[in-house]
Amino acid sequence: GEIQKAMSTIENKFEEQGILEELSGFLLCESISYKEGIGYELLISCSQDPFFGTVLSIGLGGTNTEDYAGWMKDGLSLTQYDSLNEEFESELASLPCTKILLGGSRTAALVSQAKLEEFCRGIFEFFQAFQPCSKRGFFVKEVELNPVVVSSGDLIALDGRSEEHTSELQSP
């Protein structure tokens, strides 16, 4: 019905411009609703540090991510962890970037701390599975999800990027 009609319209526009062969397909995604703004969007990433190993970073996300670091005091726009232990669990709710999501800022919690911990652990474990010692022939140097938003009580990564390498990490 409507989807097929929209796809045909797009194909026709590509054909009119003589670039139909450049169209390789269509990606259909569910539209979700979420609240935008500081505290409602997170940046969650993992990277490989030669000294600390796998490092998880949690910070304010969205389209203004780079600006937040300049607006906030040192250490408040982004927090990094090299292991997801009890310290991580106890600090998670007190981070400036998670207060609104977890209900610590005169708001009802949008997501449970358990779901946020589970989401972070999933990224951390995925990242560790693709390190040089995994013998897969390549490794993931960095994964960044931004924004990670809440919709109907679940965390959803709306966009992300990764950086892969086929050679071993070099020590600095």
Side-chain angles (χ1 to χ4, degrees):
E2 288 182 47
I3 293 173
Q4 188 61 42
K5 184 178 177 182
M7 290 168 49
S8 293
T9 300
I10 293 170
E11 286 175 337
N12 291 339
K13 288 186 183 207
F14 270 71
E15 190 170 24
E16 288 169 11
Q17 295 178 22
I19 56 173
L20 183 60
E21 66 280 352
E22 293 180 30
L23 181 64
S24 61
F26 293 93
L27 174 65
L28 302 178
C29 301
E30 178 183 3
S31 176
I32 64 164
S33 60
Y34 67 95
K35 188 167 183 172
E36 295 181 45
I38 294 178
Y40 295 97
E41 301 168 304
L42 293 176
L43 176 150
I44 302 176
S45 68
C46 263
S47 60
Q48 187 66 27
D49 183 275
F51 298 107
F52 296 105
T54 302
V55 176
L56 177 80
S57 301
I58 303 171
L60 297 170
T63 56
N64 295 321
T65 298
E66 290 79 15
D67 297 330
Y68 297 149
W71 298 340
M72 301 188 78
K73 294 179 182 175
D74 285 343
L76 293 182
S77 65
L78 184 71
T79 303
Q80 298 178 329
Y81 294 94
D82 60 2
S83 66
L84 303 187
N85 55 21
E86 291 172 8
E87 177 186 12
F88 165 76
E89 293 172 4
S90 66
E91 288 183 0
L92 193 58
S94 65
L95 298 176
C97 60
T98 61
K99 277 189 174 185
I100 292 173
L101 286 179
L102 298 176
S105 189
R106 295 187 199 158
T107 59
L110 301 172
V111 67
S112 70
Q113 181 166 336
K115 282 196 177 189
L116 182 55
E117 288 173 15
E118 179 184 358
F119 191 89
C120 290
R121 274 196 173 73
I123 295 166
F124 197 83
E125 290 169 5
F126 165 82
F127 188 81
Q128 287 184 318
F130 290 93
Q131 289 311 294
C133 61
S134 70
K135 298 178 183 162
R136 295 180 191 269
F138 71 96
F139 71 95
V140 177
K141 184 176 179 184
E142 182 180 22
V143 171
E144 179 183 291
L145 304 175
N146 181 25
V148 175
V149 300
V150 176
S151 180
S152 302
D154 286 320
L155 288 160
I156 300 171
L158 296 184
D159 197 5
R161 67 173 194 80
S162 66
E163 185 177 337
E164 300 85 21
H165 290 276
T166 54
S167 61
E168 296 294 318
L169 283 174
Q170 299 295 318
S171 297

